[in-house]
Amino acid sequence: MPFLYNNIFNIPERSVLDKKLTKAFFLKNFDLSATEKKLLNNSIQSMDWMASIKPTIANIPAVVTDNYAYEEIQIMVCTIADNKLNELADKCIVLLQKYIPYQMIVIVEDATHFVINACDKRINLNDSNKRTIENYNTTTAFSKLYKNEIITSFFNALDFSVLDKTNMETTYKSYIQAIVQFQTATITGSFSKRSHSRTEEDMMLLANIETIENEVVRLSNQIKKETQLNNRVSLNIEIQNQRKEIEKIKNKLGTV
């Protein structure tokens, strides 16, 4: 039995599509690379167009500027084989977000788990029909059978009824804010609704943590190859300093 994602999103019936998006559509309309074709043909089992939030149907004004277009919000579900979510979710997200030019919520699922993604897309200055992706905002994997207090709060924040529907931009950014608030909650231990400006700050702090964590991995790998004791000591000290910096950032995320 398919997982009912609209029990989370509660998109009004008039905007729900529940249509299949065929692989032939991608192959016919887009110039896919060999790697993308392999992903599409061998790894993706199905793609479902769950909902399309449009100004005329949802009664939410569109916003178009020189750099950004918030004309429609599409919600897509991509199904892959079991136990492949960690390996393939990001690749599927990139494929869908890259070629479909609208603002999108992408859900990638297997039989037991799923992730949710939203991206910041800017109009490509060289081709107005294409989009340049600035940020990928993706959750960790959720179980289809279990949810805790933080996950429940996150799902509540995705409910269509509570989104800021001033216009299509604020609506879509409500989804991004909810994802960032969830990412923050996994660190702080509690889900807190934030202002737009605070969400932007949290996004930068989360990005800083990721950068520092990658540096810690690099230094740790360097230690394994280092033969000089004094150099190993110096690298260990640097790792400890980086971890202290991560703790400082986590403390900032925890402030109200």
Side-chain angles (χ1 to χ4, degrees):
M1 183 176 179
F3 189 78
L4 301 177
Y5 290 103
N6 208 32
N7 287 345
I8 297 172
F9 289 89
N10 285 314
I11 303 298
E13 188 64 32
R14 61 185 180 275
S15 295
V16 173
L17 294 178
D18 284 334
K19 291 183 177 180
K20 292 290 183 183
L21 188 63
T22 66
K23 296 180 181 183
F25 169 82
F26 272 83
L27 295 170
K28 179 181 178 181
N29 291 284
F30 306 119
D31 185 19
L32 303 183
S33 68
T35 301
E36 290 169 336
K37 288 178 182 178
K38 183 178 179 181
L39 175 69
L40 182 68
N41 290 322
N42 298 344
S43 300
I44 294 177
Q45 294 183 343
S46 66
M47 294 173 289
D48 296 283
W49 195 351
M50 173 184 146
S52 179
I53 304 171
K54 297 182 179 181
T56 53
I57 298 175
N59 196 28
I60 304 172
V63 174
V64 180
T65 68
D66 291 339
N67 295 314
Y68 297 95
Y70 298 89
E71 300 169 288
E72 300 177 11
I73 299 172
Q74 312 300 338
I75 302 180
M76 304 278 184
V77 180
C78 175
T79 304
I80 59 177
D82 293 351
N83 302 315
K84 292 288 185 179
L85 204 60
N86 289 338
E87 177 187 347
L88 297 175
D90 287 346
K91 295 176 182 178
C92 295
I93 287 166
V94 169
L95 179 71
L96 289 168
Q97 293 284 16
K98 175 181 177 180
Y99 287 105
I100 297 179
Y102 298 108
Q103 308 296 340
M104 290 179 63
I105 305 298
V106 175
I107 301 163
V108 182
E109 66 166 8
D110 64 12
T112 58
H113 292 79
F114 63 95
V115 300
I116 299 175
N117 165 271
C119 286
D120 293 304
K121 291 184 180 180
R122 178 168 46 82
I123 295 172
N124 189 309
L125 297 180
N126 297 319
D127 186 345
S128 60
N129 292 318
K130 295 182 179 180
R131 299 292 180 265
T132 299
I133 297 175
E134 297 177 321
N135 293 298
Y136 287 95
N137 303 284
T138 307
T139 67
T140 51
F142 300 111
S143 168
K144 293 181 178 180
L145 299 176
Y146 166 80
K147 58 183 178 180
N148 58 25
E149 185 177 344
I150 291 175
I151 295 172
T152 298
S153 296
F154 170 58
F155 288 172
N156 290 340
L158 296 175
D159 192 303
F160 187 80
S161 65
V162 303
L163 304 180
D164 181 348
K165 293 182 283 293
T166 303
N167 53 52
M168 295 298 282
E169 179 180 7
T170 61
T171 303
Y172 188 67
K173 287 187 174 180
S174 292
Y175 287 123
I176 293 178
Q177 281 184 249
I179 292 174
V180 174
Q181 288 157 7
F182 170 75
Q183 292 169 327
T184 301
T186 61
I187 293 173
T188 64
S190 63
F191 189 97
S192 301
K193 297 208 72 173
R194 310 280 208 183
S195 66
H196 175 68
S197 60
R198 178 56 196 265
T199 300
E200 293 285 333
E201 181 184 346
D202 286 352
M203 286 175 68
M204 289 188 290
L205 293 173
L206 291 167
N208 287 342
I209 288 176
E210 183 177 1
T211 299
I212 297 171
E213 286 177 339
N214 289 336
E215 177 64 9
V216 169
V217 171
R218 187 189 70 81
L219 292 170
S220 298
N221 289 334
Q222 192 174 336
I223 285 178
K224 295 176 183 177
K225 301 174 184 178
E226 184 57 61
T227 58
Q228 297 294 320
L229 179 60
N230 60 334
N231 289 339
R232 289 172 63 88
V233 170
S234 296
L235 288 168
N236 267 312
I237 291 173
E238 179 60 24
I239 288 173
Q240 293 307 313
N241 289 336
Q242 297 283 11
R243 286 174 174 161
K244 288 178 182 177
E245 187 61 30
I246 289 175
E247 289 306 313
K248 289 180 182 178
I249 297 172
K250 287 182 177 179
N251 288 336
K252 288 182 182 180
L253 285 169
T255 59
V256 178

